[in-house]
Amino acid sequence: MSLSEARYHDLVDAVQESVEDVFDDTSLDVDLENSGGVLTVRFDNGSQLILSRQPALRQLWVAARSGGFHFDYDEGSQLWLCDASGERLGELLSRVTLEQGGEALEFEDI
């Protein structure tokens, strides 16, 4: 069953807020900007991590130095999963934060 538009936006809002909270609770020096449904994380070295909503597809897209990734929400696990690899969003965020920011952060339950 496909997500309703309202539920989709609620889920994306919640996950973007959770990601912001993880960064806010660390000593990692990043700039966060959430505007127009796009969360941009700017690292000290100039690289960026971008989480953007794709409402027509009901997906969450992530752009990182290592590439672009598309996530679908899985109702069974209540997690965002990469449509190509099945990787959890939280696992990808931990990996790219280490790659781009030099610090391993835990994005549990994301």
Side-chain angles (χ1 to χ4, degrees):
M1 180 171 78
S2 181
L3 291 173
S4 71
E5 185 172 352
R7 175 139 168 80
Y8 165 78
H9 285 291
D10 288 346
L11 289 166
V12 173
D13 289 343
V15 78
Q16 286 183 339
E17 185 176 309
S18 294
V19 170
E20 287 183 70
D21 289 346
V22 169
F23 281 108
D24 284 342
D25 291 342
T26 71
S27 61
L28 189 61
D29 188 19
V30 296
D31 290 323
L32 300 171
E33 179 184 342
N34 197 335
S35 176
V38 177
L39 173 61
T40 303
V41 181
R42 289 183 184 85
F43 294 93
D44 221 13
N45 62 12
S47 69
Q48 296 183 27
L49 171 64
I50 301 169
L51 288 83
S52 62
R53 61 185 77 213
Q54 300 298 318
L57 301 171
R58 302 292 196 270
Q59 287 187 324
L60 178 63
W61 288 7
V62 177
R65 186 186 289 166
S66 58
F69 308 90
H70 302 169
F71 289 82
D72 294 305
Y73 188 75
D74 178 67
E75 288 284 359
S77 65
Q78 297 188 353
L79 295 169
W80 289 93
L81 303 175
C82 181
D83 67 356
S85 68
E87 182 177 28
R88 284 189 315 103
L89 176 60
E91 292 171 336
L92 175 99
L93 294 174
S94 293
R95 181 168 48 83
V96 299
T97 300
L98 180 59
E99 291 169 357
Q100 293 181 223
E103 189 172 321
L105 300 182
E106 289 297 321
F107 293 88
E108 294 182 27
D109 302 325
I110 294 179

